[in-house]
Amino acid sequence: MEPAPAKAKPQGRLLLSTQLDAKDELEERLERCVGIVQALTNGLSEREANDALTANVCKGQQQHEEVCLGLFTLVLTESAQAQRCYRDLTLLNRDGMNVILVKINQILMEKFLKLQDVPRTQLVWLVRELVKSGVMGADGVVMTLLKQIAGGDISTKNLWLAESVLDILLDQKEWVLKSGMLIAMSVYTYLRLIVDHGTQNLLTLRQKEVDFCISMLREKFMECMIIGRDLVRLLQNVARIPEMELVWRDLLHNPQVLSPQFTGVLQLLTARTSRKFLACRLTPDMETKLLFMTSRVRFGQQKRYQDWFQRQYLSTAESQSLRCDLIRYICGVVHPSNEVLSSDILPRWAIIGWLLTTCTSNVAASNAKLALFYDWLFFNPEKDSIMNIEPAILVMHHSMKPHPAITATLLDFMCRIIPHFFPPLESQVRQGVFNSLTFIMEKRVLAHLAPLFDNPKLDRELRSMLRERFPEFCSSPSPPTEVKMEEAVSLEMDNHVLDKEESCYDNTEAAFSDDEEEVNNKGKKREFRFHPIKEAVIEEPADITPWVDQLDDTMKEKVLQLQKSSDTETQCEVMQEIVDLILEEDFDSEQMSALASCLSELFKDHFRGDVLPEEITEESLEESVCKPVCLVFRNLVTMQEDNSGFSVLLDMLAELYQKQPKIGYHLLYYLKASKAANGKMMLYESFAQATALGDLHTCLMMDMKACQEDDVRLLCYLTPSIYSEFPDETLRSGELLNMIVAVIDSTQLQELMCHVMMGTLVMFRKDSVLNILIQSLDWETFEQYSTWQLFLAHSIPLETIIPILQHLKYKEHPEALSCLLLQLRREKPSEEMVKMVLSRPCHPEDQFTTSILRHWASKYDDTLGEHIKAQLIKNNNQPRKRQSLRSSSSKLAQLTLEQILEHMDNLRLSLSNTKNSFFSQTPILQALQHVQASCDEAHKMRFSDLFALAEEYEDSQSKPLKSRRKAPATSPRSRKGAAPPTNNEEESGSSSASEEEDSKPKAPKRKRKGSSAVGSDSD
């Protein structure tokens, strides 16, 4: 124990380190910020220190960030001062705590495992305080914290973290309920963790987790539904717990109890689970290691990495449950690029085979097989991805030779799961598996299934069952050919793949084939991969022969020189010389097309892979735009638009754009990333007009779509600039927004929200936001939730978009309705809000209107009462003929008296067992009296309980008041010919109500009501 103090001396107070470790950059920076705060406050009283810090913060953004990070670090390292430092932080911070949220996320994703005990405890404490304070974006931090709770790990630290985060969610339940994504993510996390906490000493924690999950599922099932089919898988694992069994039974047999909009378990099972949920059950460290193996490690060299992963995460008995999380992640999240698929990088099926063969528990093995086949059971080619079902078929195919038992057990599982998964849905499961196998053959993942299903290595009973279940796939179209192909496969596996598979599964040393065999077998391997993906990735040397001869001698020489150059610097010099030749007066523009074809072929490598650097700094950005193709951009930026060479270079780019469409978003990236192009973003508009498209909007949308398909990080990086520089093209429709929300993850969503909050990004404006939100109603669930999150980050009044309520149907648009409901509950009701809420059609399963009216009735009863009274009287007084003559444009906004009464009756029933006195308010009772006096008998009978409230109110009034009420009620009826009888009755009701409300003389009342036909319409 002697050396311990010596090692501790150089160590900081934040992260664990040894004497051999270099000083961590993040820790160094945070310690510098602490030094700045201490230098400013040393020797000062608390008030003087506060003044000094405030004065420093006011100097600029850098000083603000330094002070905030200094206080943040003191919170983490000085627990005794944490409360005071957090108080100072809340007073001094000027960016909505954004700088703190970003730093917490960075620590959670990159440094959490290295945190010392005190900072780890304090970090969770700080997150709790941020949640208590209702800081915008704190839900994103909580979701990142949830990700750090490891599955299959019952170590003290992990249990402490699981319980600490659960306590935050339980203590701040009202805050949790405001975020649909947080609800879903926390339910997904704790349903999974319940499985690990079954031992006697963990039953208390498990009970808390069970209670939390049940409360969320019961109260917010529609939010939990966005999880998709994996929610059923997790619930199935915990269904034996008595409390959970009740939820499970309701899910299967009584779905309406959970939510009126939930039609049954099939609705969940047909919804694909978003990769965000599958990824949330792997810690950042696990995720990094898995992604490294599937993108960097060569097939045959994976043993050391698998051994490390096994020791770190899969060595204990309880860690067996983690295998399901890993398999679901590999199938649903790890979708390799074309370059990786065509290389000798470790394939996904090999990792899954290793996970299956090293499983030591029968229960875990069964669950792992279910995780592998889960997307098969209800597979829909139109919604689901081939990449989700590809690993299972390839594991079976490649295991047939070295490990026939693995193939046999998987095929047996596939057959038996059809009748046993859920007997009432047997036909749907059978169709899902059939769809999967059909799609696998269509996409050429395997050429034929007969060699797999009818292989002599399988026992007779299994082959018989396969023939019975899948007769379509057991017969080969041409038996002789198939025999040869199977022999070729066996030979290939003997020479090249087999040894590596054995290495993968059995953890033995890999034996490599000769180089010649490697080359010969490459062609054969392609036959058994996903063919369409594979075709596009064959790399060949650039061949410019067809075009280079069309160039004049000088240009031809430079292009050939460019082809021979290997280093970037030389290529840039030659490219500048080519640009100089283009700008010469005697340049023949007829060569433009041939030159563009040559450059497109020569620079094709520049358009592959990621454009944006992994770590974004000024240096890395400048380095990323130092490519030969960027020389054209740089020359354009430095020219004046009236320069003759400007249009020539634009024409050159337009020609290049026809050959290589990616040039468009590369230009956008250069204009944002390069210092030389600062403020020149509008150059892109000139480029768009020079292209064959000739239109800025079309060109911009096509380029952003290409960027979306190639690089999501780059798309997010460009988004603020695109929206700010081209507002007319981006804000008038939802086209670009849909591209963004279709591919971003929760971290990128949070970053975009931060940009909006800081004012560097505007994605909606008042004149078009309603139209865009209406467009979004047809998008996927997560896309809609992301759209609403981005909208709520803006400061646009809710009344701007409240008319969207007229377009929302309770079964078709649950996402928009749930977001609107949460937002409306924060608002004080206005007349327009109440009108729109009441205008929703009544349906026994649609609880939207009743729920928001009930909430308003408990918080703003007076205001709501006045607004409902106004709507009742206005719609009661509305002449029927005038109402029917309204223009078609206002039909959606039309509100009928019957609708209002139905919603009022539903609200009455909802409040019947409460102490709420909403229906005892004078305005409501007066309005009901007013309506009762003029409505027909059918309505009086239908809403008798509602009108009974008004009658009780009338009985409670004094007799003289009643006699006074009758006088004006009969008076209008004596005036004949003024209006039809129905309208006279309405006038009578309105007059009496007005008399009760104001107790004014009768004459003025009659005078005002004399023009009721006009007056009521103007109201």
Side-chain angles (χ1 to χ4, degrees):
M1 300 300 290
E2 293 293 335
K7 286 188 178 180
K9 284 180 183 176
Q11 184 167 291
R13 305 191 62 186
L14 196 62
L15 305 178
L16 294 168
S17 62
T18 68
Q19 287 182 319
L20 298 177
D21 291 330
K23 187 72 173 175
D24 187 86
E25 290 182 13
L26 173 63
E27 186 173 21
E28 267 191 319
R29 189 190 175 201
L30 293 177
E31 285 177 356
R32 281 200 304 271
C33 294
V34 170
I36 291 169
V37 170
Q38 290 174 340
L40 288 168
T41 57
N42 274 348
L44 300 180
S45 67
E46 194 168 318
R47 183 167 182 174
E48 289 170 338
N50 216 349
D51 292 342
L53 291 174
T54 304
N56 195 60
V57 162
C58 293
K59 291 180 181 178
Q61 178 63 30
Q62 183 182 344
Q63 288 81 358
H64 170 264
E65 189 169 319
E66 288 171 346
V67 170
C68 288
L69 291 179
L71 291 169
F72 163 70
T73 310
L74 286 170
V75 169
L76 296 189
T77 56
E78 303 289 346
S79 54
Q81 301 178 38
Q83 195 71 52
R84 180 177 59 79
C85 290
Y86 179 71
R87 183 201 64 201
D88 293 344
L89 185 59
T90 56
L91 293 172
L92 294 167
N93 184 269
R94 302 188 172 195
D95 65 353
M97 290 289 189
N98 181 60
V99 65
I100 303 302
L101 294 175
V102 170
K103 203 55 64 179
I104 292 175
N105 267 323
Q106 183 184 353
I107 290 174
L108 285 173
M109 293 301 289
E110 300 172 10
K111 312 290 183 185
F112 189 76
L113 294 177
K114 293 185 176 180
L115 280 178
Q116 296 183 32
D117 290 343
V118 170
R120 184 188 290 107
T121 306
Q122 286 304 109
L123 186 63
V124 174
W125 178 87
L126 177 58
V127 171
R128 183 191 296 272
E129 294 303 308
L130 291 171
V131 170
K132 280 184 185 177
S133 304
V135 173
M136 178 70 76
D139 54 341
V141 171
V142 174
M143 284 189 270
T144 310
L145 198 55
L146 284 169
K147 188 175 171 65
Q148 280 291 355
I149 307 171
D153 180 359
I154 55 171
S155 63
T156 306
K157 286 183 180 178
N158 198 58
L159 291 173
W160 169 82
L161 183 60
E163 188 162 18
S164 298
V165 179
L166 182 59
D167 287 339
I168 293 174
L169 298 173
L170 290 170
D171 294 344
Q172 305 299 321
K173 186 176 177 182
E174 286 298 316
W175 174 83
V176 173
L177 296 180
K178 297 174 185 176
S179 172
M181 181 52 69
L182 178 58
I183 291 170
M185 198 72 78
S186 55
V187 166
Y188 188 90
T189 298
Y190 283 102
L191 278 177
R192 165 64 188 86
L193 293 175
I194 287 169
V195 176
D196 297 335
H197 301 158
T199 56
Q200 192 64 36
N201 61 316
L202 299 178
L203 289 182
T204 305
L205 172 59
R206 189 180 82 167
Q207 191 59 48
K208 284 171 69 174
E209 294 168 338
V210 168
D211 293 342
F212 170 75
C213 291
I214 289 176
S215 71
M216 291 295 113
L217 289 165
R218 293 284 188 194
E219 297 172 32
K220 293 288 180 180
F221 188 77
M222 291 311 296
E223 281 78 358
C224 298
M225 265 191 68
I226 66 172
I227 294 171
R229 60 175 64 119
D230 276 78
L231 177 59
V232 180
R233 182 177 65 85
L234 294 180
L235 282 169
Q236 193 173 4
N237 289 339
V238 297
R240 292 183 181 275
I241 298 172
E243 299 93 333
M244 280 294 183
E245 188 176 7
L246 297 176
V247 177
W248 180 246
R249 289 183 183 279
D250 286 339
L251 184 80
L252 298 182
H253 308 300
N254 198 7
Q256 298 289 307
V257 171
L258 296 173
S259 171
Q261 299 162 31
F262 180 45
T263 57
V265 71
L266 186 60
Q267 184 181 353
L268 266 176
L269 289 167
T270 52
R272 179 179 166 189
T273 297
S274 166
R275 58 179 59 191
K276 296 167 182 61
F277 294 107
L278 301 178
C280 84
R281 286 320 315 127
L282 269 66
T283 65
D285 190 56
M286 290 180 199
E287 198 170 6
T288 302
K289 299 299 187 295
L290 266 187
L291 290 175
F292 178 82
M293 282 198 279
T294 54
S295 61
R296 302 287 183 84
V297 177
R298 295 186 183 281
F299 192 21
Q301 300 178 4
Q302 69 270 22
K303 182 181 183 298
R304 56 184 291 212
Y305 303 102
Q306 289 173 348
D307 288 348
W308 182 93
F309 201 93
Q310 177 91 20
R311 286 194 306 271
Q312 191 75 10
Y313 297 115
L314 298 171
S315 58
T316 61
E318 58 273 5
S319 65
Q320 297 299 313
S321 62
L322 179 62
R323 294 176 193 274
C324 296
D325 301 332
L326 297 170
I327 290 172
R328 292 299 293 145
Y329 177 83
I330 292 167
C331 291
V333 181
V334 182
H335 292 176
S337 65
N338 293 343
E339 286 81 2
V340 172
L341 283 172
S342 64
S343 68
D344 59 352
I345 294 297
L346 180 66
R348 297 186 298 162
W349 62 261
I351 298 178
I352 290 174
W354 162 65
L355 290 171
L356 290 172
T357 53
T358 55
C359 194
T360 58
S361 158
N362 290 335
V363 174
S366 180
N367 289 336
K369 284 181 276 190
L370 180 62
L372 180 60
F373 282 103
Y374 207 63
D375 289 312
W376 287 53
L377 305 184
F378 297 89
F379 184 80
N380 182 347
E382 294 179 4
K383 294 181 181 178
D384 293 305
S385 168
I386 184 68
M387 300 299 281
N388 288 31
I389 60 173
E390 180 219 51
I393 198 72
L394 291 182
V395 169
M396 293 189 286
H397 170 74
H398 288 294
S399 301
M400 182 63 83
K401 183 84 173 176
H403 295 280
I406 289 289
T407 302
T409 189
L410 291 176
L411 286 171
D412 181 74
F413 183 87
M414 184 179 72
C415 291
R416 296 183 189 279
I417 196 69
I418 294 173
H420 294 125
F421 179 72
F422 185 47
L425 296 180
E426 180 179 352
S427 59
Q428 287 90 336
V429 176
R430 185 186 306 279
Q431 187 61 47
V433 175
F434 181 84
N435 290 345
S436 301
L437 294 169
T438 305
F439 205 51
I440 282 166
M441 291 183 65
E442 283 179 12
K443 294 299 181 184
R444 305 281 294 173
V445 178
L446 291 185
H448 297 291
L449 294 173
L452 179 64
F453 283 8
D454 202 19
N455 196 295
K457 284 182 175 288
L458 303 176
D459 66 66
R460 186 177 303 172
E461 184 184 348
L462 178 56
R463 289 163 67 187
S464 174
M465 185 161 57
L466 286 165
R467 278 195 294 270
E468 180 187 337
R469 299 260 193 237
F470 311 109
E472 306 88 344
F473 305 108
C474 289
S475 58
S476 173
S478 53
T481 307
E482 282 307 305
V483 171
K484 288 181 181 178
M485 190 188 78
E486 180 62 15
E487 288 171 359
V489 173
S490 300
L491 179 65
E492 172 228 323
M493 292 178 73
D494 283 339
N495 289 337
H496 178 61
V497 180
L498 177 57
D499 292 332
K500 295 182 181 181
E501 285 171 345
E502 289 174 343
S503 159
C504 171
Y505 291 4
D506 297 338
N507 298 313
T508 57
E509 289 300 322
F512 294 96
S513 59
D514 295 334
D515 291 342
E516 184 178 342
E517 291 173 334
E518 179 89 23
V519 172
N520 290 339
N521 288 321
K522 269 189 177 178
K524 296 171 188 172
K525 281 180 74 175
R526 288 197 185 106
E527 289 296 319
F528 302 96
R529 286 185 181 272
F530 176 23
H531 196 58
I533 292 178
K534 200 63 176 175
E535 276 186 327
V537 297
I538 300 170
E539 292 188 16
E540 295 176 357
D543 181 14
I544 58 174
T545 311
W547 308 287
V548 75
D549 292 331
Q550 300 175 34
L551 304 174
D552 64 35
D553 292 340
T554 311
M555 185 63 78
K556 181 178 178 180
E557 179 187 346
K558 294 299 178 188
V559 170
L560 291 173
Q561 188 180 345
L562 185 63
Q563 184 183 25
K564 293 173 185 175
S565 304
S566 56
D567 66 294
T568 305
E569 188 173 345
T570 307
Q571 287 181 333
C572 287
E573 291 173 2
V574 177
M575 188 62 204
Q576 183 59 55
E577 293 172 5
I578 291 173
V579 171
D580 293 338
L581 287 173
I582 295 172
L583 296 174
E584 288 180 2
E585 290 182 3
D586 59 348
F587 177 72
D588 184 4
S589 59
E590 292 181 1
Q591 300 181 66
M592 197 78 82
S593 179
L595 178 60
S597 297
C598 291
L599 294 177
S600 172
E601 188 66 13
L602 290 172
F603 294 152
K604 63 183 180 181
D605 287 340
H606 295 171
F607 296 102
R608 290 180 183 156
D610 294 338
V611 182
L612 195 64
E614 276 295 323
E615 186 175 351
I616 300 175
T617 62
E618 287 185 8
E619 294 77 18
S620 63
L621 287 174
E622 280 300 317
E623 186 179 345
S624 69
V625 294
C626 291
K627 296 178 180 176
V629 73
C630 296
L631 261 295
V632 183
F633 305 155
R634 187 184 302 171
N635 280 273
L636 271 172
V637 164
T638 56
M639 285 182 178
Q640 298 296 323
E641 290 197 12
D642 54 358
N643 189 317
S644 59
F646 184 85
S647 59
V648 176
L649 275 183
L650 276 182
D651 292 340
M652 179 68 228
L653 266 186
E655 282 289 340
L656 196 54
Y657 187 64
Q658 286 188 321
K659 321 292 182 189
Q660 176 52 269
K662 295 182 181 182
I663 200 81
Y665 72 76
H666 277 71
L667 173 59
L668 285 169
Y669 172 69
Y670 178 86
L671 293 174
K672 172 160 186 181
S674 174
K675 287 182 180 177
N678 191 23
K680 300 274 189 169
M681 185 63 82
M682 295 312 292
L683 177 65
Y684 178 84
E685 186 172 356
S686 304
F687 161 74
Q689 290 164 356
T691 63
L693 298 169
D695 173 59
L696 174 59
H697 180 79
T698 307
C699 192
L700 183 63
M701 292 304 119
M702 286 182 66
D703 289 342
M704 295 305 283
K705 182 64 178 173
C707 181
Q708 180 223 37
E709 292 170 354
D710 291 346
D711 191 344
V712 178
R713 283 184 68 239
L714 179 58
L715 177 72
C716 295
Y717 176 76
L718 291 176
T719 293
S721 297
I722 300 302
Y723 269 94
S724 61
E725 296 293 341
F726 309 110
D728 292 333
E729 311 305 323
T730 53
L731 296 173
R732 68 186 184 190
S733 76
E735 189 176 353
L736 178 58
L737 179 63
N738 191 16
M739 286 183 210
I740 295 167
V741 297
V743 292
I744 59 174
D745 59 25
S746 53
T747 303
Q748 291 160 338
L749 172 62
Q750 191 249 346
E751 289 171 359
L752 290 177
M753 290 173 68
C754 290
H755 280 297
V756 172
M757 298 288 292
M758 291 188 291
T760 56
L761 173 61
V762 177
M763 304 181 82
F764 300 96
R765 61 185 180 195
K766 287 185 180 180
D767 60 349
S768 58
V769 61
L770 179 59
N771 181 45
I772 292 175
L773 289 176
I774 291 171
Q775 289 177 40
S776 74
L777 297 177
D778 295 324
W779 300 351
E780 293 291 330
T781 293
F782 183 76
E783 297 168 17
Q784 289 193 53
Y785 279 122
S786 298
T787 301
W788 280 95
Q789 292 281 340
L790 290 168
F791 164 74
L792 295 175
H794 291 70
S795 299
I796 297 177
L798 194 62
E799 287 198 346
T800 308
I801 57 103
I802 199 69
I804 197 176
L805 267 175
Q806 305 155 0
H807 299 265
L808 303 181
K809 298 177 182 176
Y810 78 97
K811 278 192 175 179
E812 296 173 20
H813 308 121
E815 301 90 349
L817 281 170
S818 59
C819 291
L820 259 179
L821 189 63
L822 291 175
Q823 196 59 19
L824 281 170
R825 76 191 298 274
R826 302 176 186 174
E827 301 279 338
K828 184 176 181 179
S830 66
E831 185 174 357
E832 182 66 13
M833 285 181 193
V834 174
K835 178 183 175 183
M836 288 298 169
V837 166
L838 291 173
S839 67
R840 287 187 60 73
C842 290
H843 192 283
E845 294 180 2
D846 184 3
Q847 301 293 319
F848 180 93
T849 300
T850 305
S851 60
I852 190 59
L853 289 179
R854 180 185 169 116
H855 174 74
W856 281 341
S858 64
K859 289 193 73 174
Y860 309 104
D861 53 344
D862 293 342
T863 308
L864 181 63
E866 290 296 337
H867 290 326
I868 290 181
K869 174 186 175 183
Q871 293 300 326
L872 278 169
I873 294 176
K874 181 177 178 180
N875 282 273
N876 192 45
N877 291 340
Q878 192 73 33
R880 304 297 183 258
K881 290 182 181 178
R882 290 296 299 274
Q883 196 174 25
S884 64
L885 291 173
R886 287 190 171 191
S887 65
S888 60
S889 65
S890 64
K891 281 181 182 176
L892 283 171
Q894 192 169 327
L895 179 62
T896 65
L897 178 63
E898 186 172 350
Q899 262 182 311
I900 302 176
L901 290 173
E902 280 190 62
H903 287 310
M904 291 284 287
D905 205 34
N906 289 338
L907 179 60
R908 179 188 63 79
L909 290 170
S910 174
L911 294 173
S912 59
N913 295 324
T914 68
K915 295 180 180 179
N916 192 293
S917 58
F918 178 77
F919 281 95
S920 63
Q921 293 183 92
T922 301
I924 292 292
L925 297 170
Q926 289 174 344
L928 289 174
Q929 277 186 321
H930 177 87
V931 173
Q932 185 183 23
S934 59
C935 69
D936 56 31
E937 288 301 320
H939 281 84
K940 286 181 180 177
M941 289 291 292
R942 183 176 175 187
F943 304 106
S944 57
D945 291 338
L946 198 58
F947 289 136
L949 299 172
E951 290 168 3
E952 291 169 11
Y953 170 74
E954 188 173 0
D955 293 339
S956 69
Q957 304 300 302
S958 63
K959 289 183 180 179
L961 186 59
K962 288 184 181 178
S963 64
R964 282 188 351 194
R965 272 206 303 272
K966 291 177 182 175
T970 56
S971 148
R973 290 195 179 97
S974 66
R975 288 178 283 144
K976 296 181 181 178
T982 304
N983 287 347
N984 284 335
E985 289 174 12
E986 290 175 7
E987 289 169 4
S988 165
S990 176
S991 178
S992 64
S994 302
E995 288 278 334
E996 289 169 19
E997 183 180 351
D998 300 326
S999 300
K1000 291 184 179 178
K1002 298 173 190 174
K1005 287 289 176 185
R1006 285 198 193 105
K1007 185 175 180 181
R1008 199 175 86 187
K1009 299 300 289 184
S1011 57
S1012 65
V1014 177
S1016 62
D1017 193 60
S1018 65
D1019 284 346

